[in-house]
PDB file of all heavy atoms in Angstrom:
ATOM      1  N   VAL A 612      61.134  97.167  76.237  1.00 95.00           N
ATOM      2  CA  VAL A 612      62.187  96.588  77.082  1.00 95.00           C
ATOM      3  C   VAL A 612      63.315  97.687  77.388  1.00 95.00           C
ATOM      4  O   VAL A 612      63.449  98.587  76.681  1.00 95.00           O
ATOM      5  CB  VAL A 612      62.866  95.384  76.396  1.00 95.00           C
ATOM      6  CG1 VAL A 612      61.914  94.215  76.196  1.00 95.00           C
ATOM      7  CG2 VAL A 612      63.624  95.806  75.165  1.00 95.00           C
ATOM      8  N   VAL A 613      64.038  97.294  78.522  1.00 96.00           N
ATOM      9  CA  VAL A 613      65.179  98.092  78.794  1.00 96.00           C
ATOM     10  C   VAL A 613      66.395  97.131  78.799  1.00 96.00           C
ATOM     11  O   VAL A 613      66.204  96.042  79.197  1.00 96.00           O
ATOM     12  CB  VAL A 613      65.122  98.737  80.268  1.00 96.00           C
ATOM     13  CG1 VAL A 613      66.382  99.363  80.637  1.00 96.00           C
ATOM     14  CG2 VAL A 613      64.010  99.797  80.296  1.00 96.00           C
ATOM     15  N   ALA A 614      67.435  97.531  78.157  1.00 97.00           N
ATOM     16  CA  ALA A 614      68.670  96.735  78.081  1.00 97.00           C
ATOM     17  C   ALA A 614      69.624  97.097  79.213  1.00 97.00           C
ATOM     18  O   ALA A 614      69.675  98.271  79.643  1.00 97.00           O
ATOM     19  CB  ALA A 614      69.320  96.975  76.654  1.00 97.00           C
ATOM     20  N   ALA A 615      70.340  96.087  79.692  1.00 98.00           N
ATOM     21  CA  ALA A 615      71.387  96.323  80.661  1.00 98.00           C
ATOM     22  C   ALA A 615      72.629  95.658  80.286  1.00 98.00           C
ATOM     23  O   ALA A 615      72.647  94.468  79.870  1.00 98.00           O
ATOM     24  CB  ALA A 615      70.875  95.823  82.073  1.00 98.00           C
ATOM     25  N   ILE A 616      73.746  96.383  80.507  1.00 98.00           N
ATOM     26  CA  ILE A 616      75.026  95.771  80.317  1.00 98.00           C
ATOM     27  C   ILE A 616      75.600  95.566  81.710  1.00 98.00           C
ATOM     28  O   ILE A 616      75.638  96.518  82.587  1.00 98.00           O
ATOM     29  CB  ILE A 616      76.054  96.666  79.534  1.00 98.00           C
ATOM     30  CG1 ILE A 616      75.503  96.905  78.109  1.00 98.00           C
ATOM     31  CG2 ILE A 616      77.428  96.148  79.579  1.00 98.00           C
ATOM     32  CD1 ILE A 616      76.235  97.999  77.384  1.00 98.00           C
ATOM     33  N   ASP A 617      76.058  94.305  82.066  1.00 97.00           N
ATOM     34  CA  ASP A 617      76.752  94.089  83.318  1.00 97.00           C
ATOM     35  C   ASP A 617      78.147  93.734  83.006  1.00 97.00           C
ATOM     36  O   ASP A 617      78.430  92.642  82.542  1.00 97.00           O
ATOM     37  CB  ASP A 617      76.072  92.928  84.056  1.00 97.00           C
ATOM     38  CG  ASP A 617      76.839  92.374  85.178  1.00 97.00           C
ATOM     39  OD1 ASP A 617      77.852  93.033  85.623  1.00 97.00           O
ATOM     40  OD2 ASP A 617      76.483  91.325  85.716  1.00 97.00           O
ATOM     41  N   GLN A 618      79.071  94.744  83.051  1.00 97.00           N
ATOM     42  CA  GLN A 618      80.457  94.532  82.665  1.00 97.00           C
ATOM     43  C   GLN A 618      81.183  94.067  83.898  1.00 97.00           C
ATOM     44  O   GLN A 618      81.534  94.936  84.755  1.00 97.00           O
ATOM     45  CB  GLN A 618      81.027  95.871  82.106  1.00 97.00           C
ATOM     46  CG  GLN A 618      82.265  95.674  81.286  1.00 97.00           C
ATOM     47  CD  GLN A 618      83.319  94.954  82.088  1.00 97.00           C
ATOM     48  OE1 GLN A 618      83.880  95.497  82.924  1.00 97.00           O
ATOM     49  NE2 GLN A 618      83.652  93.759  81.727  1.00 97.00           N
ATOM     50  N   GLY A 619      81.302  92.766  84.073  1.00 94.00           N
ATOM     51  CA  GLY A 619      81.876  92.150  85.367  1.00 94.00           C
ATOM     52  C   GLY A 619      83.353  91.883  85.251  1.00 94.00           C
ATOM     53  O   GLY A 619      83.966  92.068  84.206  1.00 94.00           O
ATOM     54  N   THR A 620      83.871  91.249  86.331  1.00 92.00           N
ATOM     55  CA  THR A 620      85.332  91.064  86.372  1.00 92.00           C
ATOM     56  C   THR A 620      85.719  89.961  85.357  1.00 92.00           C
ATOM     57  O   THR A 620      86.808  89.984  84.732  1.00 92.00           O
ATOM     58  CB  THR A 620      85.686  90.590  87.760  1.00 92.00           C
ATOM     59  OG1 THR A 620      85.285  91.528  88.747  1.00 92.00           O
ATOM     60  CG2 THR A 620      87.203  90.417  87.901  1.00 92.00           C
ATOM     61  N   THR A 621      84.895  88.946  85.273  1.00 89.00           N
ATOM     62  CA  THR A 621      85.291  87.787  84.375  1.00 89.00           C
ATOM     63  C   THR A 621      84.589  87.770  83.059  1.00 89.00           C
ATOM     64  O   THR A 621      85.000  87.213  82.102  1.00 89.00           O
ATOM     65  CB  THR A 621      85.065  86.440  85.100  1.00 89.00           C
ATOM     66  OG1 THR A 621      83.659  86.391  85.601  1.00 89.00           O
ATOM     67  CG2 THR A 621      85.927  86.280  86.242  1.00 89.00           C
ATOM     68  N   SER A 622      83.362  88.357  83.025  1.00 93.00           N
ATOM     69  CA  SER A 622      82.684  88.402  81.778  1.00 93.00           C
ATOM     70  C   SER A 622      81.728  89.647  81.715  1.00 93.00           C
ATOM     71  O   SER A 622      81.592  90.376  82.664  1.00 93.00           O
ATOM     72  CB  SER A 622      81.713  87.059  81.701  1.00 93.00           C
ATOM     73  OG  SER A 622      80.641  87.229  82.583  1.00 93.00           O
ATOM     74  N   THR A 623      81.158  89.765  80.419  1.00 97.00           N
ATOM     75  CA  THR A 623      80.197  90.920  80.309  1.00 97.00           C
ATOM     76  C   THR A 623      78.919  90.228  79.799  1.00 97.00           C
ATOM     77  O   THR A 623      78.923  89.323  78.990  1.00 97.00           O
ATOM     78  CB  THR A 623      80.698  91.783  79.170  1.00 97.00           C
ATOM     79  OG1 THR A 623      82.035  92.282  79.573  1.00 97.00           O
ATOM     80  CG2 THR A 623      79.823  93.158  79.077  1.00 97.00           C
ATOM     81  N   ARG A 624      77.780  90.704  80.349  1.00 96.00           N
ATOM     82  CA  ARG A 624      76.474  90.210  79.999  1.00 96.00           C
ATOM     83  C   ARG A 624      75.667  91.303  79.390  1.00 96.00           C
ATOM     84  O   ARG A 624      75.836  92.481  79.835  1.00 96.00           O
ATOM     85  CB  ARG A 624      75.719  89.600  81.169  1.00 96.00           C
ATOM     86  CG  ARG A 624      76.419  88.480  81.917  1.00 96.00           C
ATOM     87  CD  ARG A 624      75.636  88.179  83.111  1.00 96.00           C
ATOM     88  NE  ARG A 624      76.005  87.007  83.886  1.00 96.00           N
ATOM     89  CZ  ARG A 624      76.846  87.110  84.895  1.00 96.00           C
ATOM     90  NH1 ARG A 624      77.443  88.257  85.219  1.00 96.00           N
ATOM     91  NH2 ARG A 624      77.113  85.957  85.537  1.00 96.00           N
ATOM     92  N   CYS A 625      74.738  91.025  78.569  1.00 98.00           N
ATOM     93  CA  CYS A 625      73.657  91.965  78.219  1.00 98.00           C
ATOM     94  C   CYS A 625      72.340  91.323  78.393  1.00 98.00           C
ATOM     95  O   CYS A 625      72.119  90.252  77.880  1.00 98.00           O
ATOM     96  CB  CYS A 625      73.835  92.456  76.691  1.00 98.00           C
ATOM     97  SG  CYS A 625      72.498  93.614  76.328  1.00 98.00           S
ATOM     98  N   LEU A 626      71.424  91.887  79.222  1.00 97.00           N
ATOM     99  CA  LEU A 626      70.144  91.422  79.449  1.00 97.00           C
ATOM    100  C   LEU A 626      69.132  92.436  79.060  1.00 97.00           C
ATOM    101  O   LEU A 626      69.356  93.615  79.241  1.00 97.00           O
ATOM    102  CB  LEU A 626      69.965  91.029  80.978  1.00 97.00           C
ATOM    103  CG  LEU A 626      70.635  89.763  81.451  1.00 97.00           C
ATOM    104  CD1 LEU A 626      72.082  89.918  81.548  1.00 97.00           C
ATOM    105  CD2 LEU A 626      70.010  89.342  82.744  1.00 97.00           C
ATOM    106  N   LEU A 627      67.956  91.911  78.604  1.00 97.00           N
ATOM    107  CA  LEU A 627      66.834  92.756  78.341  1.00 97.00           C
ATOM    108  C   LEU A 627      65.754  92.391  79.290  1.00 97.00           C
ATOM    109  O   LEU A 627      65.481  91.232  79.600  1.00 97.00           O
ATOM    110  CB  LEU A 627      66.275  92.478  76.906  1.00 97.00           C
ATOM    111  CG  LEU A 627      66.882  93.440  75.780  1.00 97.00           C
ATOM    112  CD1 LEU A 627      68.354  93.543  75.849  1.00 97.00           C
ATOM    113  CD2 LEU A 627      66.343  92.950  74.432  1.00 97.00           C
ATOM    114  N   PHE A 628      65.132  93.517  79.914  1.00 96.00           N
ATOM    115  CA  PHE A 628      64.032  93.240  80.881  1.00 96.00           C
ATOM    116  C   PHE A 628      62.772  93.885  80.427  1.00 96.00           C
ATOM    117  O   PHE A 628      62.832  94.975  79.865  1.00 96.00           O
ATOM    118  CB  PHE A 628      64.430  93.874  82.273  1.00 96.00           C
ATOM    119  CG  PHE A 628      65.545  93.147  82.894  1.00 96.00           C
ATOM    120  CD1 PHE A 628      66.862  93.575  82.784  1.00 96.00           C
ATOM    121  CD2 PHE A 628      65.340  91.973  83.576  1.00 96.00           C
ATOM    122  CE1 PHE A 628      67.918  92.908  83.414  1.00 96.00           C
ATOM    123  CE2 PHE A 628      66.394  91.294  84.218  1.00 96.00           C
ATOM    124  CZ  PHE A 628      67.640  91.711  84.199  1.00 96.00           C
ATOM    125  N   ASP A 629      61.568  93.268  80.688  1.00 94.00           N
ATOM    126  CA  ASP A 629      60.264  93.861  80.379  1.00 94.00           C
ATOM    127  C   ASP A 629      59.894  94.683  81.512  1.00 94.00           C
ATOM    128  O   ASP A 629      60.593  94.823  82.579  1.00 94.00           O
ATOM    129  CB  ASP A 629      59.289  92.845  79.861  1.00 94.00           C
ATOM    130  CG  ASP A 629      58.858  91.929  81.012  1.00 94.00           C
ATOM    131  OD1 ASP A 629      59.198  92.208  82.210  1.00 94.00           O
ATOM    132  OD2 ASP A 629      58.293  90.877  80.811  1.00 94.00           O
ATOM    133  N   HIS A 630      58.599  95.264  81.524  1.00 91.00           N
ATOM    134  CA  HIS A 630      58.181  96.201  82.467  1.00 91.00           C
ATOM    135  C   HIS A 630      57.945  95.561  83.865  1.00 91.00           C
ATOM    136  O   HIS A 630      58.012  96.200  84.864  1.00 91.00           O
ATOM    137  CB  HIS A 630      56.915  96.827  81.979  1.00 91.00           C
ATOM    138  CG  HIS A 630      56.651  98.107  82.721  1.00 91.00           C
ATOM    139  ND1 HIS A 630      55.704  98.114  83.807  1.00 91.00           N
ATOM    140  CD2 HIS A 630      57.132  99.390  82.592  1.00 91.00           C
ATOM    141  CE1 HIS A 630      55.686  99.424  84.272  1.00 91.00           C
ATOM    142  NE2 HIS A 630      56.515 100.165  83.559  1.00 91.00           N
ATOM    143  N   ASP A 631      57.750  94.217  83.924  1.00 90.00           N
ATOM    144  CA  ASP A 631      57.607  93.467  85.127  1.00 90.00           C
ATOM    145  C   ASP A 631      58.906  93.012  85.729  1.00 90.00           C
ATOM    146  O   ASP A 631      58.966  92.321  86.693  1.00 90.00           O
ATOM    147  CB  ASP A 631      56.790  92.245  85.005  1.00 90.00           C
ATOM    148  CG  ASP A 631      55.320  92.581  84.566  1.00 90.00           C
ATOM    149  OD1 ASP A 631      54.880  93.692  84.951  1.00 90.00           O
ATOM    150  OD2 ASP A 631      54.792  91.771  83.838  1.00 90.00           O
ATOM    151  N   GLY A 632      60.048  93.452  85.117  1.00 91.00           N
ATOM    152  CA  GLY A 632      61.416  93.078  85.581  1.00 91.00           C
ATOM    153  C   GLY A 632      61.733  91.658  85.207  1.00 91.00           C
ATOM    154  O   GLY A 632      62.607  91.008  85.877  1.00 91.00           O
ATOM    155  N   GLN A 633      61.037  91.079  84.279  1.00 91.00           N
ATOM    156  CA  GLN A 633      61.295  89.689  83.779  1.00 91.00           C
ATOM    157  C   GLN A 633      62.352  89.753  82.629  1.00 91.00           C
ATOM    158  O   GLN A 633      62.219  90.571  81.799  1.00 91.00           O
ATOM    159  CB  GLN A 633      60.066  89.021  83.248  1.00 91.00           C
ATOM    160  CG  GLN A 633      58.904  88.800  84.335  1.00 91.00           C
ATOM    161  CD  GLN A 633      59.446  87.860  85.407  1.00 91.00           C
ATOM    162  OE1 GLN A 633      59.953  86.835  85.112  1.00 91.00           O
ATOM    163  NE2 GLN A 633      59.218  88.309  86.629  1.00 91.00           N
ATOM    164  N   MET A 634      63.284  88.835  82.749  1.00 93.00           N
ATOM    165  CA  MET A 634      64.337  88.773  81.753  1.00 93.00           C
ATOM    166  C   MET A 634      63.805  88.254  80.391  1.00 93.00           C
ATOM    167  O   MET A 634      63.088  87.273  80.420  1.00 93.00           O
ATOM    168  CB  MET A 634      65.453  87.813  82.194  1.00 93.00           C
ATOM    169  CG  MET A 634      66.681  87.824  81.442  1.00 93.00           C
ATOM    170  SD  MET A 634      67.822  86.761  82.343  1.00 93.00           S
ATOM    171  CE  MET A 634      67.442  85.247  81.540  1.00 93.00           C
ATOM    172  N   VAL A 635      64.080  88.988  79.363  1.00 94.00           N
ATOM    173  CA  VAL A 635      63.642  88.639  78.047  1.00 94.00           C
ATOM    174  C   VAL A 635      64.689  87.923  77.192  1.00 94.00           C
ATOM    175  O   VAL A 635      64.466  87.054  76.386  1.00 94.00           O
ATOM    176  CB  VAL A 635      63.107  89.915  77.349  1.00 94.00           C
ATOM    177  CG1 VAL A 635      62.719  89.610  75.903  1.00 94.00           C
ATOM    178  CG2 VAL A 635      61.959  90.487  78.091  1.00 94.00           C
TER     179      VAL A 635
END
Side-chain angles (χ1 to χ4, degrees):
V612 297
V613 171
I616 296 170
D617 169 8
Q618 200 304 291
T620 307
T621 53
S622 74
T623 308
R624 301 172 173 91
C625 179
L626 280 78
L627 265 49
F628 292 97
D629 67 15
H630 200 263
D631 297 330
Q633 295 298 312
M634 193 174 86
V635 175

